[in-house]
Amino acid sequence: MCKVAICIPCYEQKKMLERLLNSIEIQTFRDFIVIISDDSESIEIEELIKRYDDFKIFYHKNKERLGATKNTNFCMSLAERFKPLFIKVMHHDDYFSFNYSLYKMVHMLDMNENANIAFCGTYQVSENGKFSRAITKQQIGLLKEDVRILFIENSIGAPSATIIRNIGIKMDENLTWYVDIDWYIRILWQGAPFVFSLEPLVSIGLGEGQVTNSCLTNPELTFRESIYLYKKYFAEQINEYIEKVLKEAEHYLKMQKILEGCQSATEIYIYGAGVWGRNIERFLKNNDIAFKGFIVSNGCKKMDYLEGHPVFEIGEIESHLNSDSRIILAIKDECDAANVLKHLYGKIIYRIF
């Protein structure tokens, strides 16, 4: 028996898992066991854990890859043999920010016996640095009023930012994108109280390989899951959620229009090298569509290549565009978009935002 089972469903990413295990190794709270359910094809994870002998690790290598949600559930099922009081899911690309992080998360549930979940603030960490996020006073009020508000905005955060009482609630394996939100709702259903800390006790790793990124470039998935959750939870219509579903539907239809437009194109460009442009690059990549490169306004070129593709100023290629060119306009600002539309008058442009 142990008080906490730290459940780590992992898939490759040895360096990230090592960072997580190093953060576990220094925790001041010691009444825990680490459960690792490994979806990897390689043996790197299995070799890595042999280096850790300061805490208990139960390791299981899956014969077949389960996928993120099923692997998380399987990891929690493995933990049952140790009869933990609390379950602490940690994704392998996240880690504890401080050596006292686990102590503070356990303490929140110890001091609030009626609460089934505690969560904390986080550091969001990427190659460009980190920033902190935490639930706001307004979000707390909305969450207490109706937990389904999480569909509109996930104010709790990633599962790694949570610790739950072991009450047997697993994740819905029909879900990928909204799986965390659904899990929180079922834990908090019927008005169960929650506790939280604004301190960033956990750091969330942001990277290209995340399930989050693959979902954001798959509008059909997010749209389908929106409908699934609406049928599952909303006996009555809630305006905010209906608006969200409609936005998902609009986004899905626009993406379908892009795919149709690209089929007859001799060359494809993405106008915009910011966040929206990179999202479209991933969408095209996921659908095996090649494109010539990114386009930016004259005087706005800051690099020659982005995501392995060339970056052009519009003045460099405008005369080379023809009737079979397709330019996907990935600019959020309405004024900028209007200027581009005017500048490329007569060309075929698919605007997605």
Side-chain angles (χ1 to χ4, degrees), residues 329-349:
L329 187 56
I331 300 176
K332 188 176 181 181
D333 186 90
E334 293 287 340
C335 293
D336 288 346
N339 289 334
V340 173
L341 287 167
K342 181 179 180 181
H343 194 60
L344 294 173
Y345 179 76
K347 308 300 182 186
I348 300 177
I349 297 176

Side-chain angles (χ1 to χ4, degrees), residues 190-234:
Q190 304 300 328
F194 59 87
V195 287
F196 61 91
S197 169
L198 300 180
E199 188 175 5
L201 300 175
V202 171
S203 294
I204 305 297
L206 306 178
E208 293 296 319
Q210 288 185 312
V211 173
T212 299
N213 286 320
S214 63
C215 290
L216 287 174
T217 55
N218 188 347
E220 181 181 2
L221 171 68
T222 56
F223 178 46
R224 185 174 65 248
E225 290 195 2
S226 294
I227 298 297
Y228 174 82
L229 291 177
Y230 177 75
K231 292 178 179 178
K232 182 175 181 179
Y233 286 106
F234 292 86

Side-chain angles (χ1 to χ4, degrees), residues 169-172 182-189 233:
I169 295 181
K170 300 294 194 297
M171 296 182 175
D172 187 335
D182 174 80
W183 192 45
Y184 302 151
I185 287 175
R186 285 186 290 116
I187 292 170
L188 292 170
W189 201 245
Y233 286 106

Side-chain angles (χ1 to χ4, degrees), residues 34-92:
V34 173
I35 312 293
I36 296 178
S37 177
D38 187 7
D39 251 359
S40 306
E41 297 178 3
S42 70
I43 62 170
E44 286 190 342
I45 302 302
E46 189 173 1
E47 292 297 317
L48 171 66
I49 64 174
K50 294 178 181 178
R51 294 167 37 190
Y52 296 88
D53 54 13
D54 289 344
F55 54 89
K56 297 178 182 178
I57 298 179
F58 181 86
Y59 173 81
H60 183 276
K61 188 172 182 64
N62 301 325
K63 293 181 179 179
E64 296 182 359
R65 187 179 176 189
L66 300 178
T69 304
K70 288 185 178 180
N71 198 24
T72 302
N73 280 345
F74 182 65
C75 196
M76 287 191 281
S77 295
L78 290 174
E80 291 301 329
R81 67 184 64 189
F82 301 99
K83 303 186 186 311
L85 184 61
F86 304 140
I87 297 286
K88 178 77 187 77
V89 172
M90 290 293 291
H91 289 162
H92 65 257

Side-chain angles (χ1 to χ4, degrees), residues 7-135:
C7 296
I8 308 174
C10 64
Y11 174 67
E12 305 297 353
Q13 302 293 335
K14 172 186 172 182
K15 289 185 178 180
M16 290 185 177
L17 179 62
E18 183 177 15
R19 180 177 62 180
L20 169 57
L21 292 177
N22 289 342
S23 78
I24 293 174
E25 190 173 36
I26 63 171
Q27 291 304 301
T28 57
F29 181 88
R30 306 304 293 179
D31 189 7
F32 65 82
I33 186 169
V34 173
I35 312 293
I36 296 178
S37 177
D38 187 7
D39 251 359
S40 306
E41 297 178 3
S42 70
I43 62 170
E44 286 190 342
I45 302 302
E46 189 173 1
E47 292 297 317
L48 171 66
I49 64 174
K50 294 178 181 178
R51 294 167 37 190
Y52 296 88
D53 54 13
D54 289 344
F55 54 89
K56 297 178 182 178
I57 298 179
F58 181 86
Y59 173 81
H60 183 276
K61 188 172 182 64
N62 301 325
K63 293 181 179 179
E64 296 182 359
R65 187 179 176 189
L66 300 178
T69 304
K70 288 185 178 180
N71 198 24
T72 302
N73 280 345
F74 182 65
C75 196
M76 287 191 281
S77 295
L78 290 174
E80 291 301 329
R81 67 184 64 189
F82 301 99
K83 303 186 186 311
L85 184 61
F86 304 140
I87 297 286
K88 178 77 187 77
V89 172
M90 290 293 291
H91 289 162
H92 65 257
D93 44 0
D94 305 330
Y95 56 98
F96 290 110
S97 302
F98 313 107
N99 66 345
Y100 55 79
S101 293
L102 184 57
Y103 166 77
K104 285 200 170 183
M105 298 193 79
V106 170
H107 185 68
M108 282 192 283
L109 287 182
D110 276 341
M111 299 301 293
N112 297 271
E113 295 182 356
N114 293 325
N116 288 330
I117 186 171
F119 56 92
C120 64
T122 58
Y123 285 125
Q124 306 287 299
V125 183
S126 69
E127 294 180 354
N128 299 320
K130 67 180 182 180
F131 63 92
S132 61
R133 70 167 296 278
I135 193 168

Side-chain angles (χ1 to χ4, degrees), residues 233-245:
Y233 286 106
F234 292 86
E236 58 189 45
Q237 292 187 352
I238 295 181
N239 291 334
E240 292 87 346
Y241 188 71
I242 292 297
E243 290 174 5
K244 181 176 177 64
V245 172

